Each structure stands twice: as structure tokens, then as C-alpha cells.
């Protein structure tokens, strides 16, 4: 029975990822979750008490996985500049991934404090790695530079998500060049 509940919960989270990546936070409703999973709406409430609870669980499950992929890419780089490049490239390479799209949609939406805290904690680890790379490069305001660098990444993510006129690869290369010139220049 417990295994069945775990499968149902997994199916609900997967449906939530799809809804978020297709239509943002407005698309994530209990009737839509019920329809996607074939469960009765009352059954959805047995697993999650609210939309916020669904979002919080997705944050807890997906964000650390996504952050770990970025962290692994940074660890493979052997220079501070390489780490910063990996930080930008890896985030942008995950844009098409449904988990990443869901995380972006969640980040853009209204979050309850629990979900916001989970995202901040996972993101904090990544930012700390960037701050360290910037300190090694001798940047005089590494924390500020790390936050601005994330702003460049976020803008590039939105540009790719919107299906802008430029190819995703060109957006990535422009973001990497801007990041490296900005922090190393």
C-alpha cells in the first residue's frame, strides 16, 4: 500500500512539473492534477493539502537535483574562470528540462515561505561556489558580482524560454562572454 501511495505521489509531482512547464503557476490546479493523473480530486487532497504544498515538495525534490548538476559542472572546471563559465553554461543547458522549467515557473510565482526557503538554501550553495571563484579571481565585491552574474543567467533563461529570435546557443555564448568579461575584465 505504501508503495502504491509513493507511486501516486510521484505521478502527481510529475503531472505538476508538466503543468508548470506548460502554463506556469496558474496552470497548477487540483482539477488539472486530478485530470492528468486520473485520480479523483478528493484523492489529490489526500496527498497534498494545497498548491503551496505541491510547490514546496517539488522544490524539495527537484531544486537540489538541478543545483547538484550545476555544482558538478563547476567542480569539473579547474580554473576560477572555468567554474564561472560552467555555472552559466550548465544552468542554460538545463532550460529545456521539465524539472528546470518547473523550478523557473515556481521561482517566478508566489511562493510560501517554506518553498522560498528551500530554493534559497539550494541556490545558496551555488552562489557560495561562485563567490569563492570570484574571490580567487581577486574580485573586490564577490557577493555582489555573484548576484549580478545570476541576473545575467536569469535573463538568458527567460530569453531562451520565450523562444527569442536568437538560437539558444547564441544566447548561451553571449551570456558566457558577458559573465567572463564582467567578472574577469
Amino acid at each position: 500500500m505504501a508503495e502504491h501511495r509513493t507511486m501516486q505521489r510521484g505521478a502527481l509531482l510529475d503531472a505538476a512539473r508538466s503543468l508548470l512547464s506548460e502554463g506556469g503557476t496558474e496552470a497548477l490546479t487540483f482539477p488539472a492534477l486530478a485530470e492528468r493523473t486520473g485520480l479523483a480530486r478528493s484523492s489529490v487532497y489526500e496527498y497534498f493539502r494545497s498548491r503551496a504544498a505541491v510547490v514546496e515538495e517539488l522544490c524539495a525534490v527537484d531544486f537540489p537535483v538541478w543545483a547538484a548538476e550545476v555544482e558538478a559542472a563547476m567542480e569539473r572546471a579547474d580554473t576560477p574562470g572555468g567554474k564561472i563559465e560552467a555555472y552559466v553554461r550548465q544552468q542554460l543547458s538545463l532550460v529545456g528540462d521539465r524539472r528546470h522549467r518547473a523550478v523557473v515557473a515556481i521561482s517566478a510565482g508566489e511562493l510560501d515561505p517554506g518553498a522560498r526557503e528551500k530554493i534559497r538554501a539550494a541556490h545558496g550553495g551555488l552562489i557560495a561556489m561562485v563567490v569563492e571563484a570570484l574571490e580567487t579571481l581577486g574580485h573586490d565585491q564577490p557577493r555582489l558580482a555573484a548576484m549580478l552574474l545570476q541576473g545575467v543567467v536569469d535573463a538568458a533563461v527567460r530569453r531562451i524560454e520565450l523562444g527569442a529570435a536568437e538560437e539558444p546557443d547564441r544566447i548561451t555564448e553571449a551570456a558566457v562572454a558577458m559573465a567572463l568579461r564582467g567578472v574577469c575584465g
Side-chain angles (χ1 to χ4, degrees):
M1 185 69 195
E3 190 178 318
H4 178 70
R5 283 192 65 79
T6 303
M7 279 175 53
Q8 297 281 45
R9 193 176 201 85
L12 283 164
L13 288 175
D14 205 45
R17 279 182 199 101
S18 293
L19 289 165
L20 283 163
S21 68
E22 291 161 19
T25 48
E26 306 80 51
L28 181 61
T29 64
F30 276 36
L33 282 171
E35 189 181 318
R36 287 278 169 111
T37 55
L39 292 171
R41 199 183 315 183
S42 57
S43 297
V44 177
Y45 283 99
E46 288 175 30
Y47 292 91
F48 297 104
R49 67 190 181 287
S50 64
R51 271 174 26 132
V54 178
V55 165
E56 191 170 333
E57 183 138 346
L58 271 179
C59 290
V61 172
D62 288 355
F63 208 94
V65 172
W66 173 83
E69 289 175 24
V70 176
E71 191 171 328
M74 290 177 75
E75 284 172 353
R76 286 192 296 272
D78 45 15
T79 65
K83 288 184 186 308
I84 289 164
E85 180 172 348
Y87 176 79
V88 175
R89 274 190 198 285
Q90 188 63 29
Q91 285 191 67
L92 297 180
S93 76
L94 294 169
V95 170
D97 183 294
R98 266 182 337 134
R99 277 177 326 189
H100 180 263
R101 260 211 212 94
V103 166
V104 169
I106 288 167
S107 301
E110 283 304 301
L111 289 178
D112 70 315
R116 201 174 301 119
E117 200 41 56
K118 284 186 173 69
I119 284 186
R120 214 186 336 261
H123 223 268
L126 289 178
I127 293 288
M129 291 180 76
V130 174
V131 168
E132 191 180 318
L134 290 163
E135 283 170 345
T136 305
L137 287 168
H139 206 284
D140 62 341
Q141 289 189 293
R143 192 145 208 67
L144 173 61
M147 295 303 173
L148 295 175
L149 176 64
Q150 185 59 44
V152 169
V153 173
D154 293 343
V157 165
R158 278 192 302 278
R159 193 108 187 118
I160 293 169
E161 287 279 344
L162 288 169
E166 309 88 3
E167 288 295 312
D169 287 352
R170 293 192 77 148
I171 296 169
T172 298
E173 293 312 316
V176 166
M178 188 171 282
L180 292 176
R181 275 201 298 273
V183 298
C184 302

